[in-house]
Amino acid sequence: MGVSDDAALTTALRRGTIEYCVLALLDKRELYGVELVQQLSTGLGMTTSEGTMYPLLSRLRRNGRIATTWREAPAGPPRRYYTLTPDGEAALTHFRTEWVVFRSGVDRILGTEL
């Protein structure tokens, strides 16, 4: 598999899961956009950018999975903080259930079952 194949695989995996990783991070506490980018990039090794994050957050807000509030920042302009809504919690719960089944099936096929 070539480098471009590796990148395509990583992109496809990230595209399918990043929304739920964001919901999972917001399940722990409210965050603002830059914090989400930092936690995904540094903490989880999922390199992403603000250019990817903000359209995703807008879609999640339009779909009723997250809510926002504006708050003054210690320095600089006000920040928009994101929180999980009941619909977001339900979507995350459903994803967690489906993810376990999906991951187990893939692990069995790959021979890497834990």
Side-chain angles (χ1 to χ4, degrees):
M1 185 147 81
V3 173
S4 64
D5 292 337
D6 290 347
L9 174 61
T10 300
T11 298
L13 290 171
R14 185 170 10 117
R15 185 177 297 129
T17 57
I18 193 166
E19 173 179 335
Y20 297 98
C21 290
V22 167
L23 294 179
L25 288 171
L26 293 175
D27 192 35
K28 296 179 174 98
R29 67 183 180 99
E30 66 180 8
L31 297 165
Y32 62 96
V34 172
E35 287 178 313
L36 283 162
V37 169
Q38 290 170 343
Q39 287 199 19
L40 286 168
S41 296
T42 352
L44 303 174
M46 293 181 77
T47 304
T48 192
S49 68
E50 292 177 39
T52 299
M53 184 58 60
Y54 287 108
L56 171 62
L57 291 170
S58 290
R59 184 170 49 80
L60 289 170
R61 187 171 42 85
R62 281 192 314 273
N63 292 342
R65 292 187 172 179
I66 62 173
T68 63
T69 54
W70 285 97
R71 205 167 295 136
E72 291 297 320
R79 293 177 178 161
R80 179 179 269 186
Y81 281 83
Y82 299 88
T83 56
L84 207 55
T85 64
D87 284 350
E89 290 174 11
L92 180 58
T93 297
H94 180 71
F95 177 79
R96 284 178 168 145
T97 301
E98 292 298 317
W99 180 255
V100 169
V101 173
F102 178 77
R103 185 186 65 216
S104 293
V106 171
D107 285 345
R108 265 193 314 280
I109 290 168
L110 296 176
T112 58
E113 192 168 357
L114 300 174

